[in-house]
Amino acid sequence: MRFTSSLVALVAATGAGLVSATNTTVMVAANGALTFTPDTVTAAAGDFVVFQFQASGHSATQSSFQAPCTALSGGVNSGFSSVTSATLPTFSYAVKDTNPVWFMCSQVGHCAAGMVFAINPNSTETFAAFQAGAKSGTAPVAATGASSSTAASGSTPAAATTAASTSKGYGSGARESKAASVGLSALALGLTALAFL
């Protein structure tokens, strides 16, 4: 009985805060196009954006609204992808908050061709302005009265968690619940606890 109530409490405690977190798959260079698909994502704190590389030689490199094609100092960078026929590499970005986060492909010429991506663009820092800035090589102009949300919020790139992995999954941009993995983790912890009783 002691094990059962401990396991139920463990499952409830570990699953309570994570059930609502989701993974959103973003395909990088799908069908050989210089694009992120989708090119924008709305995500909550704790969600993960999983960049799935469809072709070699691309990256998901954090930049800023003010300098779309310049890697953000201290920002995350997947490095260049190497795709084989058996696997599609992935790179995961943990969303810290709902402020906009900007990415580009750092391969020579790709950002200038418009290969950019945004998490949580808003009405003052729009994806259209960010992409236009990338293509023109000039700093985008935020809507009147706006300031950089990254600077205003004090959000730092180092605060976001990233992890690189390799996957055979084929993303469709769909959001996937993490509840199953939380449940399995809690079950594994519960079974480990049983061994010590």
Side-chain angles (χ1 to χ4, degrees):
M1 180 65 173
R2 195 170 107 206
F3 167 73
T4 304
S5 43
S6 296
L7 179 60
V8 169
L10 178 65
V11 169
T14 55
L18 296 176
V19 172
S20 64
T22 58
N23 288 344
T24 301
T25 301
V26 175
M27 295 182 294
V28 181
N31 301 313
L34 298 182
T35 59
F36 290 86
T37 307
D39 55 14
T40 64
V41 167
T42 300
D47 287 353
F48 286 86
V49 174
V50 180
F51 296 96
Q52 185 182 67
F53 296 92
Q54 306 282 312
S56 293
H58 297 280
S59 75
T61 304
Q62 190 174 3
S63 64
S64 67
F65 184 78
Q66 296 78 11
C69 295
T70 301
L72 183 65
S73 178
V76 299
N77 186 347
S78 67
F80 290 113
S81 60
S82 179
V83 177
T84 66
S85 61
T87 61
L88 294 176
T90 61
F91 178 77
S92 296
Y93 176 81
V95 178
K96 180 184 176 286
D97 53 36
T98 57
N99 291 320
V101 183
W102 310 97
F103 285 87
M104 54 100 171
C105 178
S106 61
Q107 185 61 264
V108 175
H110 289 194
C111 182
M115 191 173 184
V116 294
F117 169 78
I119 301 170
N120 298 328
N122 58 39
S123 61
T124 57
E125 295 179 344
T126 67
F127 177 76
F130 178 65
Q131 189 173 51
K135 289 180 177 181
S136 71
T138 61
V141 177
T144 305
S147 64
S148 169
S149 60
T150 302
S153 71
S155 178
T156 61
T161 305
T162 58
S165 64
T166 303
S167 169
K168 289 186 180 181
Y170 296 90
S172 63
R175 296 171 71 106
E176 303 164 9
S177 173
K178 295 173 77 177
S181 64
V182 169
L184 291 176
S185 296
L187 180 60
L189 288 171
L191 293 175
T192 303
L194 178 62
F196 290 106
L197 293 178

